Amino acid sequence: MEIRKGSIQDVDEVSALYDELNGYLEKHENFPGWRKGIYPAREDAEAGISEGCLFVAVENDRIAGTVILRHKPEKGYALADWHCSFSYESILVVYTLAVHPDFHHQGVGKKIMEFIIDYASRKGMKAVRLDVYEKNAPAIRLYEKFGFCYIDTVDLGYSDYGLEKFKLYQRILQ
């Protein structure tokens, strides 16, 4: 599996991945609480690509998964005590880690997590941070398996979508 920076040529396929994943989540247990047409959506892919921070995991010429890595936190991150005072220039924040339903249970999420940690280390980052909906047990297990430490549970302002609280996690790299 190759993980590379997304390009404008990937927008349609990433957008389709989001739609197909959200369709799948509508019919199964929706651990992340995502909704088709709301989040993630084509606009998120376009923004990630235009900012140069969207990455795609490609398997057999198909995008199996994707992630956005920014230096910008959600506003609610300011509510937490992160136990360190790093500048966000030296922190990567994980957004929209998504795996296409056709590739579920094939280790794509794990490979993306390995990539995130390796990429952040190579870029000299001091930490990686992320948030996860408090009821998203599969993602929480994945993050904890990769050494992310629980920081706090906060309201990120998504209660209109039924998402009351999010757990914040961090992995210190240096």
Side-chain angles (χ1 to χ4, degrees), residues 50-70:
S50 72
E51 294 169 24
C53 62
L54 183 140
F55 295 84
V56 293
V58 180
E59 182 73 28
N60 297 324
D61 296 322
R62 286 187 62 203
I63 295 177
T66 182
V67 67
I68 295 172
L69 303 173
R70 291 187 170 111

Side-chain angles (χ1 to χ4, degrees), residues 2 7 29-30 46 53 55 118 128-129 135 144 160:
E2 173 197 14
S7 69
E29 190 158 1
N30 188 345
E46 290 171 342
C53 62
F55 295 84
D118 179 64
V128 178
R129 292 181 180 168
K135 296 179 182 174
E144 289 177 350
D160 288 351

Side-chain angles (χ1 to χ4, degrees), residues 8 16 47 50-51 121 158:
I8 195 70
S50 72
E51 294 169 24
S121 295
Y158 298 111

Side-chain angles (χ1 to χ4, degrees), residues 9-169:
Q9 291 81 15
D10 297 319
V11 170
D12 289 340
E13 192 174 354
V14 172
S15 179
L17 182 153
Y18 291 162
D19 286 345
E20 290 173 39
L21 176 57
N22 282 325
Y24 175 88
L25 292 171
E26 288 173 4
K27 296 174 184 162
H28 297 84
E29 190 158 1
N30 188 345
F31 289 106
W34 291 351
R35 292 189 182 165
K36 194 171 190 172
I38 296 175
Y39 186 83
R42 181 180 189 87
E43 298 78 33
D44 300 298
E46 290 171 342
I49 289 169
S50 72
E51 294 169 24
C53 62
L54 183 140
F55 295 84
V56 293
V58 180
E59 182 73 28
N60 297 324
D61 296 322
R62 286 187 62 203
I63 295 177
T66 182
V67 67
I68 295 172
L69 303 173
R70 291 187 170 111
H71 293 284
K72 179 183 169 192
E74 291 278 344
K75 288 180 185 175
Y77 283 32
L79 302 171
D81 177 3
W82 292 92
H83 313 294
C84 57
S85 58
F86 303 139
S87 154
Y88 272 94
E89 292 175 2
S90 63
I91 297 170
L92 276 183
V93 180
V94 177
Y95 287 85
T96 325
L97 194 163
V99 176
H100 191 287
D102 291 350
F103 294 90
H104 282 180
H105 308 292
Q106 296 181 30
V108 176
K110 291 176 186 172
K111 289 178 180 164
I112 292 173
M113 290 303 298
E114 290 167 355
F115 168 80
I116 291 167
I117 293 163
D118 179 64
Y119 178 80
S121 295
R122 285 186 286 115
K123 294 290 184 186
M125 298 293 106
K126 295 182 178 177
V128 178
R129 292 181 180 168
L130 56 85
D131 60 80
V132 57
Y133 177 50
E134 67 180 344
K135 296 179 182 174
N136 190 346
I140 291 168
R141 281 192 302 273
L142 177 67
Y143 303 144
E144 289 177 350
K145 180 179 179 179
F146 277 89
F148 282 77
C149 297
Y150 170 78
I151 298 297
D152 200 355
T153 300
V154 299
D155 180 351
L156 293 180
Y158 298 111
S159 59
D160 288 351
Y161 302 105
L163 305 172
E164 298 294 328
K165 299 285 185 177
F166 287 78
K167 292 185 174 195
L168 303 179
Y169 281 84

